[in-house]
Every structure is written in structure tokens, then in C-alpha cells.
Amino acid sequence: MLLAIYLLIVKPNRRLDDYFLGILLFYLVIRVGVSCFHFFGQAPHELIKLGLMANLFIGPVVLLLMRALINPDKVIINRSLWQFGLLSFGLVLSWVLFDLPTWNWKIRYIIHFVLTVYLIQVAFIWRREFGYFFSSKGLTFNVRKAIIIYLAIVLICFGFAVSLFSSYIVGPLSFSIIFYLAMGYLLSNSPKELDTPKKKRYFSRKQVAPQEFNDINQKLTQLMEIDNIYRDPDLKLEALATQLAISRHLLSKILNDNLDVNFHQYINNYRIREACRILRENKHYSIEAIAYEVGFHSRSSFFTAFKKLKGTTPSKYRQEG
């Protein structure tokens, strides 16, 4: 719980994956806490239901966490909200319509089934990364972190599944053991270059070989500067990797390790550069029209990206130009 609070509230420079990991730990704490309470004392029916409810939401949170760690540019929270809404609606109906015996012998198995479906979905989506991990190929720390957390969750959920047919304390014990092993691994294998200056950190990363990088970067530059594919508002990392005939993992590695930017920053650099040209040369274009012209989904996202890169608003930039 303390770690969840730290990730959600206290930690400086929190990233999206920090929030998801904090939420995941929060749900796990509820699940484990209810199990301990039930084992060492008679837990109220509502508390047992609450623990099972928390178990149901672990699946979608794990899916979002994996996406935020392995491929943060593809995380679309809005598309996942309907899943939480649907699960919440089902839980409310179950809470109202069914008593605890029904939860114990029917609802709990449905909850474990839904969680299993989510874990299988994650394994299917990131099967390539899992293959690289087990074959000892070079992976970024975020990818290794995601896989370790995923494997830990699978083992913890397996422990809780075993507890259905044995002692209720098996679930909490599996959580405690696996949690500390996973945290120990992540802390001992965290990149040491995090405490070094940014320039040193850039050169210390394992970059793609110069010849391979030059070939891919040449094709990438052509797609951006000649084909102008950055204007596509729905452009995603995977689609760009497909056009380059490389894996999304390799493209992400080139952007992060060789160019020192993520996919979102790389695309926005081209979009803002083109927006600046239009602002200078076409005074009659509205700001909103320019935003859509260069590939942004909305005026607000354009303003945010423009101010971040240029330190001023599009309107002021036009006046100063």
C-alpha cells in the first residue's frame, strides 16, 4: 500500500506506467488484505465481495500497464474505459442480485476466468517481446520490467486459483514471496545510467549498429520529409514500422537509443515544424485548420505540443514572425 501511495501521489516526475502500477498494487492490496482477514478471522460478506471485485479489475490494469511500459505511444485510455464500465456494471448487478454463496461458487469463477482472458491477451499481444526475453536478446529496461511484472502477476493469480482448492492463505503467501522477488530483481537490474547526466546516458545505451541505423533512418526521413506521413492523425508506431519493414521493437529502440526521442516526440517535431512554416507563409489559415492539416486530432493537443517545443503559442509565434 505504501508503494502504491508513493507511485500515485509522492513520486516526482510520475509517468503513465507509474500510475498504472500504483493502481495495480492498490487492487492487489485489497485482494490480499481481504484474503488475510478472512483466513485469520471471519470476514463480513461485503468484504469478501470487495476482494473478489478488486481481483476482476486486475486484468484490464495489467493490460494498460504492459502497453504503457512496452509501447507507451499506443496506450489509448479512452478506448479502455468502456471495459472498466462494463465490468463495473456487471459487478453492481451481481452485488445486488446474488448472495455470498452464489459469489463463492459461481461469480468468483467467472472473475477468475475474466482475469485469465486478460492475461492471455497480454501474452498474445506481446509474444514477440516475451520471446526475446527468454532467448536473452537485448531488451530495454522498460520491456524487461513489464515482462517481470506480468510473470509475477500470473504466478500470484495462480496462487489465488490454487487457494480455491486448498488453504485461503496460499494466495497472500504467493503474493508476498513473488512481490519481493520481483521487486528485488527490478531494483538490482535497474539501469545505472539513470543517475548520470543525459548526454552520458545517451552514449551509454546500446544503440543499433551505425550501418543498420543509417539505412533505416534514411527510409524514415524519406517517409517524413517526402511522403509527409506524419500528417496522418492516426499514424501509430506499429504502422510506421510496417512501412519500414522492421519490427516495432527495433523502431522504438532506434528512436529512443539512437535519436533520443520517443515516437510521439519524433512525429510531433515534424508536425510542429510544418505548422511553423504554414504560420509564417499563410497568414489567412486559422490555427485550428493548421492543427488538422499537420496531423493533430484537436486544437488543444496542437497547442500543448506547440508550446512544449516552441515555448510560445501558435498565435504569438505568427505575430512574432
Side-chain angles (χ1 to χ4, degrees):
M1 178 61 77
L2 290 174
L3 182 56
I5 293 173
Y6 171 76
L7 291 171
L8 291 171
I9 301 174
V10 180
K11 183 183 177 183
N13 302 320
R14 293 185 295 278
R15 302 185 307 271
L16 190 59
D17 59 279
D18 292 323
Y19 286 106
F20 289 139
L21 182 55
I23 294 171
L24 175 62
L25 288 172
F26 178 75
Y27 283 132
L28 284 171
V29 165
I30 294 176
R31 181 71 179 92
V32 173
V34 170
S35 298
C36 291
F37 194 95
H38 182 68
F39 182 79
F40 291 106
Q42 189 60 38
H45 293 178
E46 290 74 15
L47 192 61
I48 295 177
K49 287 183 178 180
L50 183 65
L52 292 171
M53 287 176 66
N55 204 57
L56 182 63
F57 287 109
I58 289 174
V61 175
V62 168
L63 180 60
L64 286 170
L65 174 59
M66 295 300 100
R67 286 174 171 168
L69 281 170
I70 297 180
N71 196 353
D73 300 299
K74 287 190 67 178
V75 177
I76 307 298
I77 299 177
N78 291 338
R79 294 181 183 176
S80 303
L81 290 180
W82 69 268
Q83 300 179 38
F84 285 92
L86 185 62
L87 294 176
S88 300
F89 178 73
L91 283 174
V92 170
L93 282 182
S94 301
W95 190 288
V96 174
L97 297 177
F98 303 111
D99 55 9
L100 183 61
T102 305
W103 275 66
N104 274 334
W105 297 106
K106 292 183 180 180
I107 305 298
R108 71 190 306 172
Y109 289 101
I110 294 175
I111 289 175
H112 282 284
F113 173 76
V114 172
L115 175 57
T116 302
V117 169
Y118 271 103
L119 294 178
I120 292 174
Q121 182 183 0
V122 173
F124 179 79
I125 293 174
W126 305 121
R127 59 192 181 280
R128 183 186 292 111
E129 283 77 9
F130 293 151
Y132 289 157
F133 179 82
F134 287 109
S135 62
S136 300
K137 290 188 178 181
L139 291 175
T140 63
F141 175 70
N142 266 8
V143 175
R144 287 187 286 116
K145 179 180 177 181
I147 294 174
I148 288 297
I149 292 174
Y150 172 80
L151 294 176
I153 294 297
V154 169
L155 292 174
I156 290 169
C157 293
F158 178 76
F160 275 103
V162 170
S163 72
L164 296 177
F165 308 98
S166 57
S167 174
Y168 219 66
I169 201 62
V170 172
L173 283 176
S174 65
F175 166 78
S176 300
I177 295 171
I178 295 167
F179 172 79
Y180 287 114
L181 287 175
M183 291 303 299
Y185 175 86
L186 292 174
L187 291 174
S188 62
N189 288 274
S190 59
K192 297 179 181 179
E193 64 269 18
L194 290 179
D195 295 328
T196 61
K198 186 175 181 181
K199 288 185 178 179
K200 292 182 179 179
R201 204 164 63 235
Y202 173 75
F203 288 109
S204 66
R205 285 183 289 201
K206 186 178 179 180
Q207 300 177 354
V208 174
Q211 184 59 50
E212 183 181 15
F213 167 72
N214 289 336
D215 293 341
I216 295 174
N217 189 47
Q218 185 176 356
K219 296 178 183 177
L220 185 59
T221 303
Q222 178 177 338
L223 286 173
M224 292 295 149
E225 298 185 359
I226 298 178
D227 298 335
N228 297 326
I229 65 169
Y230 60 84
R231 294 184 180 224
D232 179 3
D234 296 317
L235 181 65
K236 299 291 187 294
L237 178 68
E238 190 165 15
L240 181 57
T242 300
Q243 294 199 47
L244 292 168
I246 61 176
S247 70
R248 63 167 179 251
H249 172 72
L250 178 58
L251 177 56
S252 180
K253 183 175 180 60
I254 287 174
L255 294 176
N256 284 278
D257 296 350
N258 291 75
L259 299 178
D260 203 26
V261 293
N262 61 34
F263 173 76
H264 184 72
Q265 293 169 332
Y266 182 79
I267 297 299
N268 277 356
N269 284 338
Y270 277 99
R271 288 173 175 169
I272 298 303
R273 187 175 72 177
E274 177 63 11
C276 289
R277 185 191 67 78
I278 298 175
L279 285 168
R280 291 191 304 267
E281 298 176 4
N282 299 280
K283 303 293 184 180
H284 62 282
Y285 268 43
S286 69
I287 301 297
E288 188 171 7
I290 295 174
Y292 292 125
E293 174 72 16
V294 299
F296 285 97
H297 273 290
S298 65
R299 177 188 175 98
S300 60
S301 60
F302 172 56
F303 266 71
T304 301
F306 195 97
K307 191 166 186 179
K308 183 176 181 180
L309 288 174
K310 296 299 179 180
T312 185
T313 64
S315 300
K316 290 182 179 178
Y317 181 88
R318 172 177 272 172
Q319 293 172 1
E320 293 169 356

